[in-house]
């Protein structure tokens, strides 16, 4: 579609970045239907869209332009890498994620303080219920006593349901907005770049003495699943 006129059907046209007062974007069809943004946009996140729009809307110093051109020249023949990256992005980003949601959740602190009292009960009640069941089976206490344990567990679940649901929704936003991008980072980490700009971007994915970003993502995904 991008090689032909099919790109005119792409839904993401960048209208939210259009400004009638801008010096050149309206005249040059930078945003909107049939625009340069509509043709170029292969971004997988809202932040990526904003970066692309900023590049198209603002001039850059000569050295920055030359660095971008040099990086593009190195990436141009790496067709498989670029297309695999786009496929990975489309697979995980049916709706473009906003990493800010993840950061917001991560920095908000614990959301379970209000039900901290329930944790010991959640550990003890199943054993109490099991003990009541066994004692009822051997005739030490009435068999119906097991219902007391089951009702207590149901009451605990009901009392904590709203708080846990709210926490689960917030974690889901974080997972949807960030952690699913692990395959993209892993693919970038596996490349060997020569251009300084590409090497600088790649080096930002791993702090000295730390495992790569994709490793942190996988660990977060495991914790999220738990």
């Amino acid at each position: 579609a991008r090689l032909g006129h099919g790109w005119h059907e792409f839904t993401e046209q960048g209208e939210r970045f259009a400004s009638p007062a801008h010096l050149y974007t309206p005249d040059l069809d930078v945003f909107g239907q049939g625009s340069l943004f509509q043709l170029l946009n292969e971004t997988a996140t809202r932040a990526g869209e904003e970066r692309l729009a900023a590049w198209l809307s603002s001039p850059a110093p000569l050295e920055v332009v030359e660095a971008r051109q040099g990086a593009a020249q190195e990436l141009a023949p790496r067709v498989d890498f670029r297309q695999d990256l786009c496929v990975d992005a489309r697979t995980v980003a049916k709706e473009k994620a906003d990493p800010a949601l993840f950061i917001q959740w991560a920095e908000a602190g614990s959301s379970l303080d209000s039900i901290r009292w329930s944790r010991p009960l959640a550990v003890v009640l199943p054993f109490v219920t099991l003990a009541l069941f066994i004692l009822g089976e051997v005739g030490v206490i009435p068999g119906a006593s097991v219902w007391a344990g089951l009702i207590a567990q149901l009451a605990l679940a009901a009392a904590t349901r709203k708080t846990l649901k709210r926490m689960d929704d917030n974690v889901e936003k974080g997972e949807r907005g960030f952690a699913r991008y692990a395959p993209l980072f892993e693919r970038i980490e596996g490349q060997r770049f020569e251009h300084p700009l590409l090497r600088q971007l790649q080096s930002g994915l791993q702090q000295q003495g730390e495992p790569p970003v994709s490793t942190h993502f996988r660990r977060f995904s495991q914790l999220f699943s738990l």
Side-chain angles (χ1 to χ4, degrees):
R2 187 164 275 103
L3 293 173
H5 288 290
W7 62 271
H8 283 271
E9 304 299 322
F10 293 170
T11 57
E12 293 167 354
Q13 303 168 6
E15 298 101 325
R16 66 191 178 105
F17 304 111
S19 170
H22 194 275
L23 185 63
Y24 61 80
T25 54
D27 292 337
L28 299 181
D29 292 330
V30 175
F31 303 110
Q33 176 59 37
S35 64
L36 183 61
F37 183 91
Q38 189 181 21
L39 172 65
L40 294 179
N41 184 22
E42 275 286 7
T43 59
T45 64
R46 292 297 175 197
E49 276 190 346
E50 290 165 5
R51 177 65 61 87
L52 175 61
W55 283 8
L56 295 175
S57 302
S58 306
L62 177 61
E63 60 272 16
V64 174
V65 173
E66 290 177 339
R68 292 176 186 170
Q69 290 176 344
Q73 286 172 354
E74 181 174 335
L75 291 172
R78 303 194 188 199
V79 178
D80 289 344
F81 165 67
R82 291 188 289 106
Q83 291 186 345
D84 286 343
L85 202 64
C86 287
V87 170
D88 284 344
R90 289 296 176 90
T91 301
V92 302
K94 293 178 182 177
E95 294 181 6
K96 291 195 177 179
D98 183 0
L101 294 174
F102 173 81
I103 297 168
Q104 204 174 54
W105 168 79
E107 294 181 345
S110 174
S111 58
L112 300 180
D113 286 340
S114 63
I115 58 169
R116 193 171 294 278
W117 55 268
S118 67
R119 187 170 182 176
L121 292 176
V123 174
V124 171
L125 280 177
F127 292 104
V128 171
T129 306
L130 180 60
L132 291 173
F133 172 75
I134 294 172
L135 293 172
E137 286 294 300
V138 298
V140 175
I141 60 176
S145 299
V146 69
W147 285 101
L150 293 172
I151 290 170
Q153 291 190 65
L154 289 172
L156 181 64
T160 57
R161 180 177 176 276
K162 285 185 179 179
T163 303
L164 291 172
K165 178 69 167 59
R166 188 164 55 247
M167 184 211 70
D168 188 57
D169 289 344
N170 289 333
V171 175
E172 173 67 23
K173 288 178 185 176
E175 196 269 348
R176 185 172 63 246
F178 219 66
R180 294 180 187 177
Y181 287 80
L184 282 81
F185 286 95
E186 196 166 5
R187 196 175 292 281
I188 295 169
E189 290 164 358
Q191 292 290 306
R192 292 181 62 87
F193 296 118
E194 299 298 328
H195 193 276
L197 177 56
L198 295 175
R199 295 180 73 170
Q200 178 188 351
L201 291 171
Q202 187 183 43
S203 68
L205 301 181
Q206 183 172 3
Q207 299 296 323
Q208 189 170 6
E210 288 281 329
V213 166
S214 59
T215 302
H216 288 297
F217 273 131
R218 281 196 298 272
R219 183 166 181 269
F220 177 81
S221 295
Q222 291 168 355
L223 292 172
F224 174 79
S225 298
L226 291 173

